[in-house]
Amino acid sequence: MDISQAGSQRKLQLQELEEIRLEAYENSRIYKAKTKVAHDKLIMRKEFQVGQKVLLYNSRLKLMPVEIKDESNAKQFTVNGHRLKPFHEDFQEHIMEELHLLNATSI
């Protein structure tokens, strides 16, 4: 095998490697797009009305800004909409019945 033939063989191998890399990149892009669509279908959209009470939990994200007002001091501030959960004033606690199970060995 002479040097020119080995050089052309090496060039062909590099081109094939580049094609494999581009195909892997494209497959990764398609997978990410499909995963995003599936994930977005599972996300529940939250809709709040003006004057509705909400619960606010700690988070540092600022993805979907929503302006809310604190009833205690009338202070207004902007928070991430994903940090809010509806507040149910009419929620009633249910009484749970407690049952004691016996050991299987004592039967």
Side-chain angles (χ1 to χ4, degrees), residues 43-58:
I43 293 177
M44 294 178 59
R45 302 286 178 212
K46 297 178 183 177
E47 294 186 23
F48 300 103
Q49 283 74 37
V50 174
Q52 179 181 357
K53 290 185 179 182
V54 293
L55 298 174
L56 174 65
Y57 59 94
N58 261 344

Side-chain angles (χ1 to χ4, degrees), residues 13-66:
Q13 288 175 344
L14 289 173
Q15 288 174 347
E16 287 176 353
L17 186 62
E18 181 69 13
E19 287 178 19
I20 292 171
R21 187 188 67 80
L22 290 174
E23 184 180 338
Y25 179 77
E26 181 65 16
N27 288 341
S28 173
R29 189 190 62 76
I30 291 169
Y31 171 77
K32 286 180 183 179
K34 287 182 179 180
T35 303
K36 181 180 180 350
V37 168
H39 178 264
D40 289 347
K41 284 183 183 178
L42 297 176
I43 293 177
M44 294 178 59
R45 302 286 178 212
K46 297 178 183 177
E47 294 186 23
F48 300 103
Q49 283 74 37
V50 174
Q52 179 181 357
K53 290 185 179 182
V54 293
L55 298 174
L56 174 65
Y57 59 94
N58 261 344
S59 174
R60 295 178 187 215
L61 299 174
K62 303 277 190 226
L63 299 176
M64 297 179 60
V66 174

